[in-house]
């Protein structure tokens, strides 16, 4: 990995002397209010990747950043409407995760020892601010270190935590036939008029229309290889709650849809921390024989101009 960090990035991201990175041992992010509060766990992992890759490049240990997960995904239970502290080891096994052949545990630490203050290199936010600059950084570092390669040892490889693996295995052992087919229908925050994620399909109003029961059922029928046996359960990953009109509409169809509230263990997770439930559901989807991801409901749709 010979390609050096461009001088332009050194000037923008560091405030200390960076003529010789080897005089530092640790890498720490300069936090601000906007950085600490973030979106969901998937986005958090993407952002963490930028800093882990930088630590690897500089041969330093990154202090895992403090993050608060967005409250709009905590819709029930103990953490309803609250910013949720991100405890990284709940989601990622840093010993089994790796960059090329090296364990991430070699490049990360939960807390830098106080006596090491003089050995810390501080870095500014790599994931907020000047979007053009952030995109250039992400492209530069991803060319050096790909994320989620097809094979371990070819880039940044995430390994989910034992906690998520064990929770998921307990579910599939108890309900061996209920998660062979999994689909995701995300509505909730994406119906907010201020959400700009799906402007390419027409924004929240069109998003709402395309995630109604009639379009979802049509798309399932049109799917080329989503063919679960008749009456086989189809588990729905969703932020909708029991009694939602969309759920009621789906339940009137010929399909045997199931939801987290149909399984006490999953509902217990949702009540405690919806982000843990989501990571378990991601794992269930990966193991399923049949699955449909959320963007499929928009396939073939274009904005009429």
């Amino acid at each position: 990995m010979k390609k050096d960090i461009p001088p332009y990035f050194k000037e923008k991201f560091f405030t200390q002397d960076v003529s010789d990175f080897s005089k530092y041992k640790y890498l720490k992010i300069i936090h601000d209010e906007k950085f600490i509060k973030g979106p969901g766990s998937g986005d958090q992992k993407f952002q963490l990747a930028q800093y882990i890759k930088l630590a690897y490049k500089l041969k330093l240990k990154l202090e895992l950043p403090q993050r608060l997960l967005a409250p709009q995904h905590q819709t029930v239970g103990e953490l309803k409407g609250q910013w949720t502290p991100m405890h990284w080891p709940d989601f990622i096994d840093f010993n089994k995760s790796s960059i090329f052949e090296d364990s991430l545990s070699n490049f990360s630490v939960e807390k830098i020892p106080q006596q090491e203050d003089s050995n810390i290199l501080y870095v500014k936010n790599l994931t907020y601010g000047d979007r053009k600059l952030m995109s250039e950084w992400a492209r530069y570092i991803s060319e050096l270190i790909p994320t989620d390669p097809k094979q371990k040892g070819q880039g940044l490889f995430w390994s989910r935590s034992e906690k998520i693996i064990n929770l998921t295995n307990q579910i599939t052992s108890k309900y061996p036939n209920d998660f062979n087919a999994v689909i995701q229908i995300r509505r909730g925050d994406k119906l907010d008029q201020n959400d700009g994620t799906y402007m390419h399909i027409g924004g929240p109003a069109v998003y709402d229309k395309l995630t109604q029961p009639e379009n979802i059922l049509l798309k399932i029928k049109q799917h080329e290889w989503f063919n679960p046996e008749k009456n086989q359960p189809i588990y729905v990953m969703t932020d909708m709650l029991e009694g939602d009109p969309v759920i009621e509409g789906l339940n009137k169809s010929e399909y045997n849809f199931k939801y987290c509230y149909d399984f006490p263990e999953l509902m217990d997770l949702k009540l405690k921390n919806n982000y843990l439930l989501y990571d378990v559901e991601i794992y269930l989807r990966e193991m399923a024989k049949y699955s449909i991801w959320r963007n499929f409901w928009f396939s073939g749709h274009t904005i009429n101009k």
Side-chain angles (χ1 to χ4, degrees):
M1 191 183 300
K2 296 180 181 180
K3 190 175 180 182
D4 194 17
I5 296 175
Y8 178 67
F9 290 107
K10 291 182 181 179
E11 295 173 9
K12 288 288 184 180
F13 293 135
F14 303 107
T15 58
Q16 297 155 270
D17 174 24
V18 289
S19 58
D20 181 11
F21 287 113
S22 66
K23 64 183 180 181
Y24 301 105
K25 291 173 61 177
Y26 297 95
L27 183 68
K28 186 170 183 176
I29 303 162
I30 300 174
H31 293 301
D32 60 33
E33 181 76 12
K34 187 174 182 181
F35 174 80
I36 291 174
K37 294 182 177 179
S41 54
D43 298 289
Q44 303 282 11
K45 191 183 291 185
F46 166 78
Q47 293 179 40
L48 178 63
Q50 312 309 310
Y51 299 101
I52 283 280
K53 290 177 181 182
L54 177 61
Y56 177 86
K57 170 71 176 171
L58 301 180
K59 296 181 171 57
L60 302 175
K61 277 200 170 189
L62 171 72
E63 181 177 89
L64 295 175
Q66 301 172 20
R67 296 302 303 244
L68 294 174
L69 296 160
Q72 61 262 34
H73 300 299
Q74 302 284 21
T75 55
V76 295
E78 301 171 10
L79 297 171
K80 182 177 180 180
Q82 296 183 35
W83 288 96
T84 308
M86 177 76 170
H87 184 237
W88 293 104
D90 282 346
F91 300 89
I92 300 169
D93 186 328
F94 287 88
N95 290 314
K96 293 182 180 178
S97 298
S98 61
I99 292 185
F100 298 114
E101 299 298 333
D102 293 307
S103 168
L104 286 195
S105 61
N106 295 329
F107 302 98
S108 62
V109 61
E110 287 204 61
K111 188 69 176 175
I112 297 173
Q114 190 171 358
Q115 64 269 25
E116 297 283 1
D117 282 354
S118 61
N119 295 316
I120 299 173
L121 173 64
Y122 290 90
V123 60
K124 295 180 181 178
N125 294 338
L126 298 174
T127 53
Y128 281 111
D130 184 330
R131 289 193 175 187
K132 183 175 183 294
L133 182 61
M134 302 302 105
S135 296
E136 289 177 7
W137 167 260
R139 183 167 58 251
Y140 158 78
I141 200 68
S142 292
E143 287 175 357
L144 294 179
I145 309 171
T147 302
D148 292 328
K150 292 183 179 179
Q151 292 184 356
K152 189 173 182 179
Q154 296 181 347
L156 173 56
F157 181 86
W158 295 116
S159 179
R160 57 176 44 92
S161 69
E162 286 296 317
K163 182 173 188 174
I164 297 297
I165 292 172
N166 291 337
L167 285 169
T168 308
N169 288 341
Q170 289 169 18
I171 297 295
T172 54
S173 295
K174 186 171 181 179
Y175 309 100
N177 301 313
D178 287 86
F179 299 97
N180 291 322
V182 177
I183 67 174
Q184 186 190 31
I185 307 170
R186 182 174 177 180
R187 284 173 57 79
D189 58 322
K190 297 307 174 187
L191 303 182
D192 187 328
Q193 292 303 309
N194 295 318
D195 188 278
T197 309
Y198 290 103
M199 295 308 294
H200 64 287
I201 64 166
V206 177
Y207 188 99
D208 181 21
K209 181 179 179 181
L210 296 178
T211 52
Q212 291 294 323
E214 53 270 23
N215 186 62
I216 290 169
L217 295 170
L218 176 64
K219 287 293 185 180
I220 288 176
K221 289 182 171 67
Q222 291 176 342
H223 203 291
E224 292 182 3
W225 53 264
F226 189 85
N227 298 306
E229 297 177 8
K230 189 174 181 180
N231 295 323
Q232 178 180 323
I234 299 175
Y235 181 74
V236 182
M237 297 173 56
T238 186
D239 49 5
M240 294 181 286
L241 300 178
E242 187 174 10
D244 188 286
V246 171
I247 287 179
E248 295 297 317
L250 292 174
N251 289 344
K252 292 176 183 177
S253 71
E254 70 270 29
Y255 295 106
N256 181 18
F257 291 112
K258 298 280 188 178
Y259 311 88
C260 68
Y261 51 75
D262 292 314
F263 304 92
E265 296 83 359
L266 292 180
M267 194 60 197
D268 183 59
L269 265 183
K270 186 175 183 68
L271 290 170
K272 289 179 179 177
N273 187 341
N274 188 63
Y275 288 102
L276 289 177
L277 169 65
Y278 181 71
D279 264 46
V280 167
E281 290 180 325
I282 292 290
Y283 194 19
L284 288 171
R285 182 185 66 86
E286 290 178 6
M287 293 190 294
K289 182 177 181 180
Y290 305 101
S291 66
I292 296 178
W293 199 230
R294 63 186 183 226
N295 289 355
F296 179 71
W297 316 123
F298 321 133
S299 61
H301 175 78
T302 57
I303 301 175
N304 294 323
K305 296 184 178 179

